[in-house]
Amino acid sequence: MLVIASIFSACGEKTFYTNTIDFDQQKWFYENTIDFEFEITDLKSKYDLLLDIDLSKDYTYQNIYVKIFTHYPSGKVVEDLVSLDVMDKFGKWNGDCNSSKCTIQLQLQKNTMFPESGKYRIRMEQHMREDPISELSGMTFKIINSE
C-alpha cells in the first residue's frame, strides 16, 4: 500500500508542486506504480524537477532503476528508463545520512519548460530485478520554479 500526500504552493513560493509517497513496510512492489499529477498553465517559466528518496542504510544496491512515463495533456506519452544513483561507485551515499537512514536528492531535469498547458502525469514503475525492493521509506517529487 502507498500513502500519498500532495501540496500545491501558494503564490510567491519557489516550490510549485510537491508530492510524497510512503512505502508500506519499506517495500516497493512492481504493481505499485506511482503517479504524480499536476497542471501547467505557464509555458514560459522554467522548472527544476527533483526527487528525494528516503531509504535505510541497509539498502544494498548502488541505484534504483525506474521507468518514468511522462503523460502530456495532448495524450502523448514519453517513456524513459532511469538509474537513480543513491551511492557512488565506491559505495558512498549521495545524500544526507544519519546512523540508520539516508535522504538522497536527485535532479531529474534542470531548467525545463513544459511545451503544453494542461494536466501532466508522471508515472514511475520500479524496474529492478528484485520484487519487491526493500528498505525504501518513501519518495518526494518536487517541481521548483528555477527562475
Side-chain angles (χ1 to χ4, degrees):
M1 175 186 284
L2 300 173
V3 179
I4 301 171
S6 292
I7 299 172
F8 287 91
S9 71
C11 293
E13 291 185 69
K14 198 167 165 87
T15 301
F16 171 75
Y17 170 85
T18 185
N19 186 331
T20 298
I21 305 294
D22 293 320
F23 295 105
D24 191 34
Q25 299 179 8
Q26 294 190 4
K27 296 181 189 299
W28 189 7
F29 292 88
Y30 287 140
E31 65 266 14
N32 294 128
T33 59
I34 300 169
D35 287 326
F36 303 107
E37 294 185 4
F38 52 93
E39 185 145 349
I40 296 295
T41 56
D42 182 357
L43 301 181
K44 295 180 182 178
S45 290
K46 294 181 181 178
Y47 302 94
D48 295 336
L49 280 59
L50 307 173
L51 186 67
D52 294 345
I53 303 170
D54 294 318
L55 46 78
S56 162
K57 286 180 94 173
D58 292 331
Y59 185 76
T60 56
Y61 300 103
Q62 182 180 347
N63 59 8
I64 303 168
Y65 280 104
V66 296
K67 276 192 177 179
I68 299 177
F69 300 86
T70 304
H71 296 257
Y72 289 77
S74 65
K76 174 183 170 182
V77 179
V78 175
E79 176 183 339
D80 292 299
L81 179 62
V82 178
S83 173
L84 305 174
D85 296 327
V86 296
M87 289 184 221
D88 66 17
K89 64 182 177 181
F90 303 107
K92 182 178 179 279
W93 294 102
N94 289 333
D96 296 323
C97 300
N98 61 30
S99 61
S100 62
K101 180 182 165 188
C102 293
T103 299
I104 314 296
Q105 184 171 85
L106 302 172
Q107 189 169 61
L108 300 176
Q109 290 189 340
K110 183 172 179 61
N111 290 325
T112 193
M113 295 175 72
F114 291 96
E116 301 174 16
S117 62
K119 186 180 274 191
Y120 283 80
R121 184 175 76 216
I122 307 291
R123 172 166 280 177
M124 294 179 68
E125 298 176 354
Q126 77 100 328
H127 200 67
M128 300 286 285
R129 292 185 181 120
E130 188 176 311
D131 184 36
I133 50 176
S134 299
E135 308 303 329
L136 292 174
S137 303
M139 293 184 177
T140 301
F141 177 70
K142 299 177 189 174
I143 302 174
I144 309 292
N145 289 86
S146 59
E147 296 180 329

